[in-house]
């Protein structure tokens, strides 16, 4: 089921998928000259906050959590990046260290592009620079929207929004004719919502009893997306 007209999903998802699409051959060749394919197992760290960036990552397959951790190691997941998206480029554009950490939510395959190649392609390609600036602008709007909305919502409403957004991210993995399955730990889900794991478990049980979701282990199926949107109390 499409969310068009019933939930503004674009306000919750980054748009880095098309940055490399249809670039001139020369610029694309620069980007791919020393490209490396890397695999990460679920839970494996890709980069850590404060680290010095050596390049950028294009997600060939899988999902990556971008998060910040406090002094006690408690995580706040700020975004889940999906297949086709790029991560790690903000630090290079800002000539700074990584502002957050990234780890695999599931087994992932990434393409690593060295910093020097990325910068060389960017300096040569006005198209790439324009797309990067557009993507950065949209990402800022997404993060601002998330912070603003979550600050005003109850835990139950935030969980409903998180499930709506995650369902959209897992749609491409679904088998035709079968419900979309969100595969995420309760700990990570609580980290997205910004609450204790116990609250997520309690509200998921409530949603399940109401026939809104079904769950088994890590896997959550959204059975009634319209009811979730009602609970989220967020439609624009």
């Amino acid at each position: 089921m499409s969310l068009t007209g019933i939930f503004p999903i674009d306000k919750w998802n980054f748009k880095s998928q098309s940055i490399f699409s249809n670039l001139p051959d020369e610029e694309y060749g620069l980007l791919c000259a020393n490209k490396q394919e890397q695999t990460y197992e679920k839970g494996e760290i890709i980069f850590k906050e404060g680290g010095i960036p050596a390049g950028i990552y294009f997600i060939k397959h899988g999902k990556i959590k971008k998060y910040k951790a406090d002094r006690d190691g408690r995580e706040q997941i700020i975004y889940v990046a999906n297949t086709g998206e790029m991560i790690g480029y903000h630090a290079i554009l800002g000539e700074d260290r990584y502002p957050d950490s990234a780890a695999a939510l599931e087994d992932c395959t990434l393409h690593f592009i060295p910093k020097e190649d990325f910068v060389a392609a960017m300096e040569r390609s006005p198209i790439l620079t324009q797309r990067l600036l557009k993507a950065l602008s949209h990402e800022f709007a997404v993060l601002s929207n998330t912070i603003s909305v979550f600050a005003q919502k109850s835990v139950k409403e935030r969980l409903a929004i998180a499930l709506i957004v995650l369902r959209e991210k897992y749609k491409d993995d679904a088998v035709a004719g079968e419900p979309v399955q969100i595969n995420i730990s309760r700990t990570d889900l609580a980290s997205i919502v910004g609450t204790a794991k116990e609250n997520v478990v309690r509200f998921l049980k409530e949603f399940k009893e109401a026939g809104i979701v079904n769950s088994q282990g890590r896997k959550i199926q959204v059975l009634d997306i319209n009811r979730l949107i009602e609970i989220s109390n967020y439609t624009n």
Side-chain angles (χ1 to χ4, degrees):
M1 176 180 177
S2 171
L3 296 180
T4 303
I6 60 173
F7 186 86
I9 194 65
D10 284 351
K11 291 186 177 182
W12 297 88
N13 280 333
F14 292 170
K15 292 182 177 178
S16 60
Q17 291 94 332
S18 60
I19 288 176
F20 292 159
S21 298
N22 300 315
L23 282 176
D25 291 342
E26 185 177 3
E27 284 90 330
Y28 191 74
L30 279 172
L31 282 169
C32 298
N34 299 292
K35 180 179 69 177
Q36 304 167 19
E37 185 166 290
Q38 301 178 351
T39 58
Y40 292 84
E41 295 182 353
K42 182 177 69 178
E44 192 172 354
I45 293 173
I46 298 160
F47 56 77
K48 296 198 73 172
E49 181 178 355
I52 299 173
I56 66 168
Y57 299 86
F58 175 84
I59 307 173
K60 182 180 179 182
H61 177 74
K63 292 172 181 60
I64 305 292
K65 63 178 180 182
K66 287 167 60 67
Y67 64 94
K68 297 182 77 71
D70 63 20
R71 292 180 179 179
D72 297 322
R74 289 188 295 260
E75 295 179 6
Q76 176 67 57
I77 296 177
I78 55 178
Y79 186 71
V80 174
N82 205 1
T83 297
E85 294 189 56
M86 247 173 42
I87 60 172
Y89 69 98
H90 306 80
I92 292 177
L93 292 178
E95 298 182 346
D96 204 350
R97 295 173 180 267
Y98 286 120
D100 49 32
S101 301
L105 270 177
E106 59 191 24
D107 292 349
C108 295
T109 302
L110 308 182
H111 284 160
F112 174 78
I113 297 173
K115 175 181 177 179
E116 295 76 16
D117 295 346
F118 177 64
V119 171
M122 187 175 60
E123 289 176 345
R124 188 165 305 186
S125 175
I127 296 173
L128 179 58
T129 302
Q130 184 180 35
R131 289 178 180 177
L132 286 166
L133 290 173
K134 188 174 181 180
L136 280 173
S137 177
H138 181 71
E139 289 181 21
F140 177 78
V142 168
L143 293 175
S144 295
N145 175 68
T146 302
I147 292 169
S148 174
V149 171
F150 272 28
Q152 303 171 50
K153 296 292 183 183
S154 67
V155 171
K156 185 176 181 179
E157 290 169 333
R158 297 201 304 269
L159 176 59
I161 291 172
L163 292 174
I164 294 166
V165 174
L166 286 169
R167 172 188 174 273
E168 193 72 8
K169 292 181 183 294
Y170 279 87
K171 267 183 20 177
D172 291 342
D173 301 334
V175 177
E178 295 185 7
V180 177
Q181 286 200 128
I182 300 167
N183 189 356
I184 192 169
S185 72
R186 300 299 180 265
T187 299
D188 280 334
L189 185 54
S191 181
I192 293 172
V193 175
T195 189
K197 177 182 174 182
E198 292 76 15
N199 291 331
V200 164
V201 171
R202 175 164 57 89
F203 284 121
L204 279 178
K205 182 180 178 182
E206 181 181 317
F207 291 172
K208 187 174 182 178
E209 290 173 347
I212 299 169
V213 304
N214 189 24
S215 62
Q216 185 173 9
R218 288 171 52 101
K219 296 179 180 178
I220 302 169
Q221 292 179 342
V222 175
L223 304 177
D224 192 340
I225 190 68
N226 289 301
R227 184 73 184 104
L228 268 187
I229 291 171
E230 288 177 12
I231 293 170
S232 76
N233 195 28
Y234 178 78
T235 56
N236 53 54

